[in-house]
Amino acid sequence: MSKEEIPKARVSVSVPGSFSLLHADLAAQPAHRRAERIRQLATIGLLVCTGKLPAHASVTDTPHGGEPPEQARAESVAAIRGLLDGI
Amino acid sequence: MYILGLDIGYSNLKLACGRAGTTPRTEIQPAGAAPRSRLNVRLNIPCMDPIAQTGTDGVRVRIHGEEWVAGVHPGRIEHWGRPLHKDYPTTDSYRALFHAGLLACATRRIDALVTGLPTAQWLDEDYRAALKSSLEGVHKPDGEHAVEIVEATILPQPLGTFIDFLWGRQEENVVRHLKELCVAIIDAGYYSTDWSVITQGALRKALNGTSMKAMAMIFEGAARLIADDDGAEISERQIEEAVADGRPTCIGRQLKPISLTPYLTRAAQEIAPIAIDSVCADLRDADTAPQVVILTGGGADFFEQSARAAFPAARVVTANDRVIANARGYFFARSVA
């Protein structure tokens, strides 16, 4: 797999503080140091990472690292609609 | 359609906003709000680590014609009582944070605003209707520019996290087998720990509760333990701000850095089991055993150990991005409608 084909990091983050501060912190790092910084922040308990971190990892506050397949999304939407219909 | 999911907590203001069908922009701000005259002066000291900076001067909003600031750390506000009671949504502080949320969207029209109330309050139809009515209509958050909210929807708070959980498919099997499962959602907030139950894909309206054993008490306990060990007088507010900023230490006597984690963990070991026990007792009375327990809110990590001990047969998971999960779930609730 070439470098271009490596999918974007699927990193789930839990941040006790502000996402904007976290983003500012990571934006200040050179790209090649971001994964190391994420690990560093995780080590001292500032965020929780799940998943493997490739070298070019970045943190995103979008849910769970990307769009699931269409069928799975339809299943989620049906579950949410069912839940909301019941209240 | 422009949607704003807004979660106004006692410790943080969380929002998720954007057009339906898109990934929302999310933002977390501290929940301090007061007349501007109560804000102390911040020294602009450069900081080596941007994550450790103590925030900004907040957002200027207007409340009853008076200039307020919202979105600042509570420690920045002097001689002003912080509202910590269940009628929080009726306070000027809540209104100021609501205005700050509107300004953060930078739009003149919000087609759908979605927010939440603890389940017990949500069940009170008059209370819910009053909040809805106070949010809908034209507002001037900064006293000048008008922002219209076309429709407001009030959801039971834990549904926000659960919708986000379903949308993100954090546990595939929960989405697939939702109709067969009993799911307990425990929201460990600053002021209270709230819980609700979903069975067969529907909210159990009679099965919910609130415990005052929450993060505020954990911070208080940690401050007491530090005072016992070190003699340092560190306030619960200082600990709250350190945790919110992601700072792992506070400064103790003789400028000695004190690592907060051991004290927070010890305090949580005293407080969290009491809250979880009350959930267990209510579920036992209702002859209900959850197969899935979802922990959310800023204190979720501190409650995990107790939840695992109390529900050994259940799958205990901490919601992804547990601080923002409610707001993002509110956004998705309208995005899929």
Side-chain angles (χ1 to χ4, degrees):
Chain A
M1 186 184 275
S2 73
K3 193 177 176 185
E4 287 70 33
E5 288 170 323
I6 297 171
K8 279 198 168 183
R10 293 171 66 95
V11 185
S12 298
V13 292
S14 299
V15 191
S18 161
F19 270 113
S20 54
L21 286 175
L22 178 70
H23 280 299
D25 178 74
L26 289 171
Q29 309 294 324
H32 67 278
R33 285 210 60 231
R34 283 190 193 138
E36 186 189 326
R37 180 62 172 160
I38 290 168
R39 284 193 193 91
Q40 192 183 20
L41 293 172
T43 305
I44 58 175
L46 294 191
L47 57 82
V48 178
C49 293
T50 57
K52 196 176 174 186
L53 286 171
H56 62 301
S58 62
V59 167
T60 170
D61 56 2
T62 56
H64 332 315
E67 293 291 310
E70 201 172 312
Q71 191 184 341
R73 176 50 40 90
E75 206 174 43
S76 296
V77 168
I80 293 167
R81 284 185 180 151
L83 188 65
L84 293 169
D85 285 348
I87 63 169
Chain B
M1 180 167 69
Y2 193 95
I3 303 170
L4 168 62
L6 192 62
D7 181 12
I8 303 177
Y10 293 92
S11 193
N12 286 304
L13 163 70
K14 289 85 65 175
L15 60 95
C17 58
R19 301 267 159 211
T22 64
T23 299
R25 180 171 67 80
T26 57
E27 201 170 309
I28 302 173
Q29 298 176 14
R36 188 158 171 260
S37 57
R38 308 288 179 167
L39 190 69
N40 64 16
V41 177
R42 184 168 65 102
L43 298 176
N44 194 16
I45 300 169
C47 183
M48 292 300 288
D49 189 346
I51 211 164
Q53 287 186 3
T54 52
T56 67
D57 280 349
V59 180
R60 292 188 192 189
V61 295
R62 287 258 163 197
I63 300 294
H64 311 308
E66 187 180 12
E67 190 171 41
W68 277 53
V69 287
V72 292
H73 279 303
R76 297 285 320 279
I77 298 166
E78 295 175 350
H79 307 299
W80 184 257
R82 185 177 178 182
L84 290 174
H85 53 78
K86 66 177 184 154
D87 270 338
Y88 183 43
T90 65
T91 63
D92 287 343
S93 295
Y94 183 95
R95 176 76 24 183
L97 292 164
F98 163 60
H99 283 181
L102 298 187
L103 291 174
C105 293
T107 184
R108 294 287 176 87
R109 179 187 158 109
I110 294 167
D111 300 288
L113 166 72
V114 187
T115 191
L117 282 171
T119 305
Q121 268 179 319
W122 178 83
L123 288 166
D124 180 338
E125 283 186 28
D126 292 340
Y127 199 92
R128 195 167 77 215
L131 177 60
K132 177 180 162 68
S133 153
S134 75
L135 299 176
E136 286 177 345
V138 177
H139 304 271
K140 288 191 175 175
D142 60 355
E144 291 178 27
H145 301 96
V147 180
E148 183 187 8
I149 294 179
V150 178
E151 187 186 12
T153 304
I154 318 294
L155 291 178
Q157 227 157 41
L159 281 199
T161 285
F162 194 52
I163 288 167
D164 189 58
F165 185 92
L166 294 172
W167 177 268
R169 302 182 73 80
Q170 193 175 335
E171 292 274 331
E172 291 280 334
N173 283 336
V174 174
V175 185
R176 294 224 170 97
H177 304 289
L178 184 59
K179 296 273 183 196
E180 305 155 48
L181 292 175
C182 173
V183 182
I185 302 155
I186 301 174
D187 186 345
Y190 175 79
Y191 167 67
S192 64
T193 298
D194 301 299
W195 58 274
S196 288
V197 172
I198 286 159
T199 51
Q200 298 176 321
L203 181 76
R204 288 276 296 272
K205 291 182 180 171
L207 209 46
N208 64 79
T210 294
S211 165
M212 292 298 119
K213 303 293 180 190
M215 282 310 290
M217 292 195 72
I218 293 178
F219 294 144
E220 192 184 310
R224 185 175 28 83
L225 291 168
I226 290 170
D228 290 348
D229 277 7
D230 185 75
E233 287 184 15
I234 293 173
S235 69
E236 57 189 89
R237 184 176 282 180
Q238 285 172 289
I239 297 174
E240 178 194 358
E241 287 183 6
V243 170
D245 286 342
R247 279 183 277 124
T249 58
C250 273
I251 302 300
R253 294 176 69 212
Q254 302 293 328
L255 298 180
K256 188 178 91 179
I258 295 173
S259 176
L260 293 176
T261 305
Y263 292 105
L264 289 166
T265 305
R266 276 168 61 193
Q269 283 165 352
E270 291 173 16
I271 302 298
I274 303 172
I276 297 290
D277 280 353
S278 70
V279 180
C280 276
D282 286 355
L283 290 176
R284 252 196 319 271
D285 288 348
D287 203 19
T288 301
Q291 291 136 304
V292 181
V293 175
I294 300 172
L295 296 166
T296 188
D301 290 348
F302 295 106
F303 284 69
E304 188 175 334
Q305 194 182 348
S306 301
R308 286 191 193 285
F311 302 106
R315 176 97 167 138
V316 177
V317 286
T318 297
N320 280 340
D321 308 336
R322 64 222 189 285
V323 177
I324 198 77
N326 269 346
R328 206 166 50 194
Y330 297 154
F331 175 91
F332 290 133
R334 278 312 298 262
S335 193
V336 305

